Amino acid sequence: QRKQSMMKKIFAENGTVLSPDEYSDAIFQAELIDKREQWSMGRIPGDFEFVHPFIYAKSFLFALDYFQKYFQLLINEDDAPKKLKEIYANFNEKFPDIREMRNTTQHMDERNRGIGSRGRPLPQGNWMFNVLNDTAYGTTMGDGVYGSVDVSEKCLSQLHEILIGIVGCFEWNGPRQHFPSL
């Protein structure tokens, strides 16, 4: 109704007989005025609300990838506890697709052109990129296989258990302390 009243106002200013182009422009102007008023009152565009879960899912994926990278660095240290390799294997078992999913997300321009890992062509088939199915965030990886990660509290709990296992592998020296501090 607001748009119709705005269009009537625009028609009154420009005359009642409009060419198709003028009519189309009047609709455009009415919608523009309406959107700007809605935005100024704090309404968030639907397109922006739609992408929030995808942004969070990608952030979760990237955080897992960073965790894996630092974990790998830790394992490769000369004095790293032997148990870390077992915990790392457990991490990779729980999160097998992290690295390739991150690569695809970072190189979406290549995947969209059918270019897979290391410049090889993606196999023919149905490619699916940036998919969110309930709590599962997934994408076709560089080898053409679909990979996913569960973006959930359960997954975060599994990661927490792994982190506690890592910390528990080390002998800590120094005075006893309480954490977190106040």
Side-chain angles (χ1 to χ4, degrees), residues 34 41 59 61 70 98 105 111 119 121 155:
D34 182 52
M41 292 186 292
S59 294
L61 170 68
Y70 286 114
I98 298 301
T105 304
R111 301 303 183 264
C155 179

Side-chain angles (χ1 to χ4, degrees), residues 12 22 24 49 71 77 82 85 90 93 135 147 177:
E22 290 171 326
S24 177
E49 288 179 347
F71 197 174
E77 289 293 317
K82 302 288 182 223
K85 288 186 180 181
N90 183 29
E93 193 176 297
T135 61
Q177 297 179 351

Side-chain angles (χ1 to χ4, degrees), residues 143-161:
D143 59 0
V145 174
Y146 184 79
S148 69
V149 63
D150 186 29
V151 181
S152 68
E153 191 174 328
K154 178 185 173 197
C155 179
L156 196 55
S157 253
Q158 291 173 334
L159 185 64
H160 180 257
E161 288 174 18

